[in-house]
């Protein structure tokens, strides 16, 4: 599944729309975007949680073997957002760090507008991937 919504932050229709959006990105670009909404990452940090999740997926699933993926995780309780690309796609984050989307997303999350925030993030990721075929940058991540 490309979208996991443990706390039910998205309606059924929103979850389906988000799944379609990430599936479209994968179909068009070959990049898999995995969206995870969790209730909380506690007792660990969201960074630790997402890294553990990425490590687990790499061990348990052949789906990430191609190295073209981005995890987008939100902890509902704290409204923390973490975007972690594969090493191959780390360049995606450079322009994203200065984008209006990452200014707006935390405000939308504070208003419980998860669908709007995630839709904007996935759309921006999709645009960045489509606009920049060079995949040679170093790995980075964003925490908001």
């Amino acid at each position: 599944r490309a979208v996991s919504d443990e706390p039910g932050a998205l309606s059924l229709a929103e979850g389906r729309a988000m799944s379609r959006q990430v599936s479209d990105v994968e179909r068009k670009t070959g990049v898999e975007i995995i969206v995870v909404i969790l209730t909380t990452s506690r007792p660990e940090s969201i960074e630790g949680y997402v890294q553990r999740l990425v490590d687990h997926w790499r061990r348990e699933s052949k789906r990430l073997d191609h190295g073209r993926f981005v995890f987008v995780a939100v902890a509902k309780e704290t409204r923390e957002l973490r975007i972690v690309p594969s090493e191959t796609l780390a360049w995606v984050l450079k322009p994203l760090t200065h984008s209006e989307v990452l200014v707006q997303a935390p405000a939308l999350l504070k208003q419980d507008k998860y669908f709007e925030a995630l839709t904007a993030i996935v759309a921006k990721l999709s645009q960045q991937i489509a606009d920049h075929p060079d995949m040679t940058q170093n790995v980075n991540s964003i925490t908001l």
Side-chain angles (χ1 to χ4, degrees):
R1 286 183 55 188
V3 178
S4 175
D5 181 11
E6 172 188 292
L10 304 176
S11 70
L12 185 57
E14 290 170 339
R16 287 182 178 155
M18 179 65 49
S19 291
R20 279 192 303 277
Q21 185 182 14
V22 296
S23 293
D24 285 347
V25 172
E26 184 176 7
R27 184 176 42 75
K28 291 175 185 173
T29 67
V31 173
E32 187 166 2
I33 298 176
I34 300 102
V35 176
V36 180
I37 306 170
L38 54 141
T39 303
T40 185
S41 63
R42 291 184 184 156
E44 65 188 319
S45 68
I46 189 144
E47 293 86 1
Y49 177 88
V50 175
Q51 189 58 56
R52 192 167 46 84
L53 186 63
V54 170
D55 292 344
H56 174 78
W57 272 54
R58 282 187 169 151
R59 277 192 317 274
E60 303 295 324
S61 175
K62 299 286 185 210
R63 291 173 55 189
L64 302 184
D65 283 352
H66 52 66
R68 295 173 55 94
F69 62 87
V70 179
F71 275 81
V72 178
V74 175
K76 186 175 182 191
E77 185 178 284
T78 57
R79 310 295 197 288
E80 290 178 280
L81 171 66
R82 180 78 171 179
I83 302 170
V84 179
S86 64
E87 292 84 359
T88 305
L89 294 175
W91 58 269
V92 167
L93 293 182
K94 253 188 188 176
L96 191 63
T97 57
H98 303 292
S99 74
E100 191 174 319
V101 169
L102 290 186
V103 173
Q104 295 171 346
L108 290 169
L109 292 172
K110 287 179 184 174
Q111 298 170 35
D112 290 332
K113 294 183 178 180
Y114 293 89
F115 180 72
E116 293 85 348
L118 292 168
T119 297
I121 290 166
V122 171
K124 186 64 175 179
L125 286 169
S126 177
Q127 175 191 3
Q128 290 303 125
I129 292 163
D131 289 349
H132 301 283
D134 178 24
M135 296 184 219
T136 61
Q137 300 293 323
N138 293 327
V139 68
N140 292 299
S141 61
I142 295 175
T143 301
L144 296 179

